[in-house]
Amino acid sequence: MTGCHLPPPADAPGNTSLLRPRGAADPGGSPRGHDPAGLPVVALVGRPNVGKSTFLARASGRFVETTNAPGTTVGREAREVRTRAGRALLVDLPGTGSLADRPVAGPPFWDALLATVPDAILVVADAGDVARHLPLVVACRDLGLPVVVALNLADEAAAHGVAVDAGRLAQLLAVPVRPTVARTGRGVGGVVALAVARARRRRGVRAGTHSPRALVPADRYPPEVERALAATAAELPTSRALGAAARDPTGLGGLVAAGAISPRGAATLLHPDLVEPYRRAVAARWAAEVEALGARRRPLADRLAGWSVRPWPGLVLLAGVLALTFALVSVVGAAFAGVLAAAWAALASPAIEAAVRALVPVPQLAAALLWGLDSGILGLLTIGIPYVLLFYLLVAALEDSGYLTSLAVLTDRLLAGLGLSGRTAIPLLAATGCNVPAIYGTRVLATRRERVLASFLVTLVPCSARSAVVVAALMPFAGPGPTAAAFAVIVGVTLAAGIAANAILPGRQSALVLELAPLRRPLARQVAAKAGARFRGFLRTAAPVMIAGSIALGLAYETGLVWPATTILDPVVVGWLGLPSVAGLALAFAFLRKELALQLLLVLAAGTAAAAAAGGSLGDLMTPAQLFVYAVVTSVSIPCAATLAALGGELGWRTAGAISAATLGLAIGIGGILARLLGVV
Amino acid sequence: MTIASKVTFFPSREAIPHSTPGARGMWNHGVDASPPLPLAALEPGVAARVVDVPPADAARLAAEGLHRGDAVVVEARLPLGGPVVVRLGRARLALARRVAAAILVEPGAPA
């Protein structure tokens, strides 16, 4: 099985498919306008939480992250499937309530759907809630494309005492309907084969051997609606010549001319408000006809889901889940990081050092390279594997269990004070592991304002590396009390900054509207695949920055170029913060490697006159009060280079710069105040 | 030409909860309904019928499946002005308090 990633939907308005003639070949290499001799395309459509990603995994035999879920890339994926009806390309699309939905103010869902040039649509619906899922089926069928329905979650429906007459529903819809259980794979192969068979026949239609009408009968709306649809269909520009795009801003005219959808189908897309009420009404009527409801006790998962959003026992449950998450990450993660560091020092480090020294004749250059290839990769491993990967596994399990939506409900009120909705709880929780994935996680938020606010808070939340610095600086030399106090100061600064940023940024918070996922036992394979895919994304961003940053740091240190910087920083570091001169350098270079803030301090101190006095211990270099100031300033100031790269990529460099400047100002401000309160200055 | 193209499956316009104000007669039919109140004020466990959705939120709510005419039950209300959890058919929806406050419902309508 080979899969290929389609380019994600374009964000820039000038680049959206809305402005491009559809019939023309796509220069970006997407399957739009692809070779008609290629594999038939089956698009996978369904509402959120219907188990569509599990369905795709079962259909293609591969568990891979596909959904538009917290912390993931928002894109589409195509996978080749082999069925008894032949081979086809199965294209996954994000969950949607209707074809007209606009995820995060982008183009409507149908734009993404038709961009895949489907030959057939496979709608995954919930067997336990037919009335809610049928309007989407009717909408897909209106397009004039072959439609096949998978009534998924048949097992959950049975547990709720809901029995659906799939045969009767198929008669009413005039499309094949099959019950499936994606968790176990039951029925999935059969329904995919049906869809592939119809997609292949559709290829025949597009080749001109069949009429589309012969394949897909379309139900009739009331006469006045049909008249409006017919009038719109007649007005569609059908020319595929140059300049047609100007008269065809939606691109639907070109699609109709290319035979991709029927004229009436295009008209239904242009009039969603006209047809949607009828679709809902007919869905309710048909659901009542095909459903048999048995009297069953509510399953335990349902009752748990109910409790999880009530103040009692929901808040207690939430506290338990959060405590367990932190305990797992801090205890298991830290132990794992220790083992990895020891293994690296014993096995990899000597080999790398010998190889680099043998290959690079200039000792300073070799030393600088070792900063990157030895300590840089070690840093990546000891942060990445124990903290980030472990956290991704936990989040994926929570996400697949459906609990994260309950978390959003419970934390919504608290976050509203910071101008955020409950959805932000997930990235903020992720930030305690590593800020980089948390910044990607803000993609699920509704508005740009919310994303900027959330990203700002994320950069202030101490990640595992910065928490480690605070603990290592204060625990041995100041004790547990000051350590806890430092964290309290950091949390207080974060909350105050969040409240201030909410007041300063123009606009208003978007209110929470969220469908709650039912609670389910997560599938281990799916959780592992999801976490693995996200971890690879983390490595792609963080690895180059961390390794290159370490080499740059090494070069600056080995060549002695760091020292002139001291005089520039002294007024702030010595005068305002009351720290030794060398701490300024460590603070500045911690930008490249936050977790090295303490080691850097010792390494740099060894190169100065203070070395003799310091004796290689932090406790000799700084007083506990100075260490307190240093730990807080390190944690609050400018995010690390990898986080800055993620910020710049997600929000643009101006916003990334503004966030960094705000954190730096905040760090220097609070550092100076602390220095005065603690009597350092 | 197929059989299906000759048949109208869809109900007549009168059977549709239409989006024009005041067209809620069908749902009041034969029911001794109480006056409309905000969804946020509905007591948990009480069945009600949505009679008005503010236009500003209508599209977002429709995407999550909440329309005028739908039967709803409040499942939970979070304290201190937190969100309201609403059962909508077999689905559950969490709505910020100010969204729920703008939705008008008629309690006592049968589900």
Side-chain angles (χ1 to χ4, degrees), chain A residues 248-316:
Chain A
D248 187 18
T250 58
L252 285 171
L255 278 174
V256 171
I261 55 170
S262 70
R264 182 174 173 279
T268 59
L269 291 179
L270 293 170
H271 291 299
D273 297 338
L274 194 61
V275 288
E276 211 43 59
Y278 294 99
R279 288 176 180 157
R280 287 206 310 277
V282 81
R285 219 179 54 190
W286 286 350
E289 187 172 342
V290 299
E291 274 181 347
L293 305 179
R296 286 283 169 94
R297 191 157 179 254
R298 279 176 83 190
L300 178 66
D302 258 32
R303 280 175 284 151
L304 254 179
W307 295 333
S308 74
V309 292
R310 292 202 174 99
W312 163 259
L315 287 170
V316 177

Side-chain angles (χ1 to χ4, degrees), chain A residues 99-127:
Chain A
L99 294 184
D101 279 9
R102 288 168 186 272
V104 197
F109 176 81
W110 59 256
D111 192 74
L113 169 65
L114 296 178
T116 67
V117 196
D119 295 294
I121 299 175
L122 178 49
V123 186
V124 184
D126 185 348

Side-chain angles (χ1 to χ4, degrees), chain A residues 16-23 32 99-100 102 108-115 118 139 142-145 202 206 229 232-240 244-272:
Chain A
T16 59
S17 48
L18 285 171
L19 302 172
R20 238 177 15 233
R22 304 272 182 152
R32 173 171 303 178
L99 294 184
R102 288 168 186 272
F109 176 81
W110 59 256
D111 192 74
L113 169 65
L114 296 178
D142 278 344
L143 294 178
L145 284 164
R202 164 81 176 162
R206 294 187 75 181
L229 291 179
T232 305
E235 282 165 17
L236 281 172
T238 51
S239 166
R240 295 176 68 188
R247 282 173 285 119
D248 187 18
T250 58
L252 285 171
L255 278 174
V256 171
I261 55 170
S262 70
R264 182 174 173 279
T268 59
L269 291 179
L270 293 170
H271 291 299

Side-chain angles (χ1 to χ4, degrees), chain B residues 5-99:
Chain B
S5 65
K6 296 199 183 78
V7 185
T8 295
F9 283 92
F10 291 90
S12 67
R13 192 188 185 99
E14 287 66 42
I16 306 287
H18 208 260
S19 55
T20 49
R24 55 173 205 255
M26 163 179 182
W27 306 116
N28 290 342
H29 188 70
V31 177
D32 181 23
S34 324
L37 79 164
L39 178 56
L42 191 67
E43 284 304 313
V46 177
R49 182 77 68 179
V50 177
V51 294
D52 191 43
V53 177
D57 291 327
R60 217 147 64 96
L61 291 169
E64 299 294 346
L66 186 105
H67 312 89
R68 166 202 292 277
D70 286 344
V72 291
V73 182
V74 171
E75 193 166 270
R77 264 190 306 195
L78 275 288
L80 305 170
V84 178
V85 179
V86 173
R87 184 164 279 282
L88 181 73
R90 267 158 248 157
R92 292 182 310 148
L93 214 57
L95 304 171
R97 191 63 69 93
R98 67 178 152 97
V99 175

Side-chain angles (χ1 to χ4, degrees), chain A residues 79 133 189 415 518 653:
Chain A
R79 283 202 221 155
H133 288 252
L415 290 164
W653 291 101

